[in-house]
Amino acid sequence: MTTIYDVAKEAKVSVATVSRVLNNNGYVSEEKRMSVKMAIEKLNYRPNLLGRNLRKSESRIILALLPSISNPFYSKILKGIEDVAIKNEYNILLCSTDSDRERERIYLNLINQKLADGIISMNPIQDKDFFLELSKNYPIIQCSEYNSNIKIPYVSIDNFRAAYDATHYLISLGCKKIALINSNEKYLYARLRKEGYLQALRDNNITIKDDLIICAGIGFQNGYDAVKRILSKEKVDGIFAVADILALGAIKGVKELGYSIPSDISIIGFDDIEISTMVTPTLTTIAQPMYELGQQAAKLIIKRIKDPNFIPENILLKHQLVIRESTKKI
C-alpha cells in the first residue's frame, strides 16, 4: 500500500511538505505543490482520512436531525446541506428522531463522543435544557423548524407572514369561510402559521370558527381525513393547509365528496414540494426556498466549526406565493 513516505520520495520533497499539501496548511511553493500532486496521482495515493481526523480531533461529519424521512419537504433541504458539505469535504449523517426525546438524545450524544463536528437540527427540540447545554460546547444550527426560546442560531422563513399571505390571498378571491388544516402544534411553524391565518381573518373582519380549524398531524391521510371532518359539519369555500402533503390529501377528500376545485372550494398549500405540480388541479402554494435553507444552514455550521468564536446571526429567507389551478376568484 502506498504511503505518504512513498509520495515524498517520488516528489523529491519532505514528508512535511506532502502533509502541508494534503491539508492545505502552510506555505508550499507552486513547483513543489505540483510535484506532490503529480506523485499522488501517479502512485494513486489515498490518505488515511481516519488517522488524519483523529490527529486533528475532528470527524468531518455533520449530524442532520429531522423528525421523519417520509416527509418529502426535507429532501431539498438535505440536498442543499449535502452539496455545501461535500464541497467543504464534510459528510452528512442523517438522523430521523420521530420527535422522540430518547432517540434525539442518542443522536445528540454522538457529538459528545467526538463522532460528529456539528449539528443541523430540523427537528422540534424535545429536550431543551440538554440541547442548550450541548450548544455551549459544540456548533449547532437550527434549520426550518426552530425554538425561539433558546439562543441557538437558526435559518428559516417568516411562517406567520407566509400563512397570513396565504389566507389573505384566499380572502382576496372572495372566500368567506376558510378552513385551516394544521399539523401538530408542538411544532413552532404550526403555531405560527395558525396565528398568521387567524390574524388575516381578524384583519378582514371574518368570523373565526373553531370547527373550521383542524389539527391533523402531517401526512396525506391526515389531510384527507381532516377535510372529511370539516365538510361533514359546514360548507367552506376556501381551505388553507399548512403543508402541501396535507393539501393533496384534502384535494382527494373534496373530490370524493362531490365538490369541484376550485369552482366550489379553493385550496392552498405550503412548501411547494415537487408533487404539487403533478396533481389535478395543480396546487397553489406558498413556496419555501428549501434548497437555500439547507445551503445557508450548512455554510453557517461549517464556518462555526472552523471558527469557534464565530457567532452566526439568525436568517429569515423569503417565501413566495405560487398561484396554480387549485384556486380562483369567486
Side-chain angles (χ1 to χ4, degrees):
M1 185 176 70
T2 303
T3 69
I4 192 171
Y5 298 98
D6 298 322
V7 174
K9 184 177 179 181
E10 176 68 25
K12 297 182 174 57
V13 297
S14 68
V15 171
T17 297
V18 176
S19 179
R20 283 196 290 272
V21 172
L22 290 173
N23 294 298
N24 196 26
N25 181 26
Y27 174 75
V28 178
S29 70
E30 191 59 32
E31 181 183 355
K32 288 184 178 179
R33 187 178 297 276
M34 287 302 298
S35 295
V36 170
K37 287 184 176 180
M38 289 172 66
I40 288 172
E41 186 174 346
K42 179 180 178 180
L43 299 175
N44 195 28
Y45 174 64
R46 295 291 179 268
N48 185 336
L49 296 179
L50 177 60
R52 185 187 73 176
N53 292 346
L54 287 173
R55 288 192 298 274
K56 288 186 167 187
S57 297
E58 62 181 13
S59 67
R60 310 296 294 184
I61 290 174
I62 297 169
L63 297 186
L65 296 182
L66 71 164
S68 171
I69 59 173
S70 64
N71 190 338
F73 165 71
Y74 295 108
S75 60
K76 285 187 179 179
I77 295 181
L78 290 170
K79 184 68 167 62
I81 293 172
E82 184 181 45
D83 284 353
V84 172
I86 289 174
K87 187 176 180 180
N88 288 273
E89 299 182 333
Y90 282 85
N91 295 305
I92 299 298
L93 179 59
L94 183 60
C95 305
S96 178
T97 68
D98 289 332
S99 298
D100 177 79
R101 183 188 183 98
E102 291 306 313
R103 199 166 181 176
E104 176 186 80
R105 182 170 280 222
I106 288 170
Y107 288 134
L108 290 175
N109 270 323
L110 291 176
I111 201 168
N112 271 329
Q113 297 167 29
K114 308 294 185 183
L115 298 177
D117 299 330
I119 297 170
I120 297 175
S121 176
M122 294 158 272
N123 195 58
I125 297 168
Q126 306 301 310
D127 192 337
K128 298 181 184 65
D129 292 337
F130 183 71
F131 212 87
L132 189 57
E133 191 62 31
L134 201 64
S135 72
K136 294 177 181 177
N137 300 307
Y138 302 103
I140 300 176
I141 298 293
Q142 300 180 92
C143 180
S144 183
E145 176 66 14
Y146 64 95
N147 187 318
S148 58
N149 294 321
I150 57 178
K151 292 184 178 180
I152 297 176
Y154 59 81
V155 181
S156 189
I157 65 165
D158 187 337
N159 283 287
F160 173 89
R161 185 72 231 183
Y164 184 99
D165 291 346
T167 309
H168 188 269
Y169 176 65
L170 290 175
I171 294 169
S172 74
L173 297 176
C175 297
K176 300 292 185 185
K177 289 187 176 180
I178 302 171
L180 173 69
I181 302 179
N182 205 356
S183 65
N184 194 320
E185 290 188 19
K186 69 183 176 183
Y187 295 100
L188 176 63
Y189 80 80
R191 300 194 299 274
L192 290 173
R193 291 177 196 177
K194 179 181 178 180
E195 284 304 312
Y197 157 85
L198 293 173
Q199 192 60 51
L201 296 185
R202 293 188 197 104
D203 288 351
N204 289 275
N205 299 313
I206 295 176
T207 302
I208 295 169
K209 295 187 175 183
D210 291 339
D211 286 348
L212 299 185
I213 301 173
I214 300 290
C215 285
I218 193 75
F220 182 90
Q221 188 65 38
N222 299 105
Y224 174 84
D225 292 340
V227 85
K228 289 289 189 80
R229 286 171 57 191
I230 290 167
L231 293 177
S232 69
K233 298 176 183 178
E234 191 165 354
K235 171 71 168 63
V236 301
D237 50 20
I239 295 172
F240 169 40
V242 302
D244 286 346
I245 199 70
L246 290 170
L248 298 176
I251 286 175
K252 180 183 179 184
V254 168
K255 287 181 176 179
E256 285 188 3
L257 290 170
Y259 295 103
S260 174
I261 306 168
S263 297
D264 297 323
I265 302 174
S266 284
I267 298 179
I268 186 169
F270 203 112
D271 291 334
D272 196 25
I273 60 175
E274 189 173 7
I275 198 173
S276 64
T277 63
M278 302 176 188
V279 294
T280 303
T282 54
L283 182 65
T284 295
T285 188
I286 295 290
Q288 290 202 63
M290 295 174 283
Y291 182 78
E292 191 178 353
L293 285 169
Q295 282 186 310
Q296 291 293 335
K299 287 176 181 177
L300 289 181
I301 198 69
I302 290 170
K303 192 169 183 180
R304 181 82 172 83
I305 290 168
K306 291 180 176 179
D307 180 6
N309 296 317
F310 170 64
I311 307 298
E313 293 185 0
N314 299 328
I315 297 174
L316 288 179
L317 300 178
K318 291 182 179 180
H319 61 275
Q320 181 182 1
L321 173 64
V322 179
I323 300 170
R324 299 195 180 104
E325 300 167 348
S326 66
T327 54
K328 83 167 192 175
K329 195 170 184 66
I330 296 175

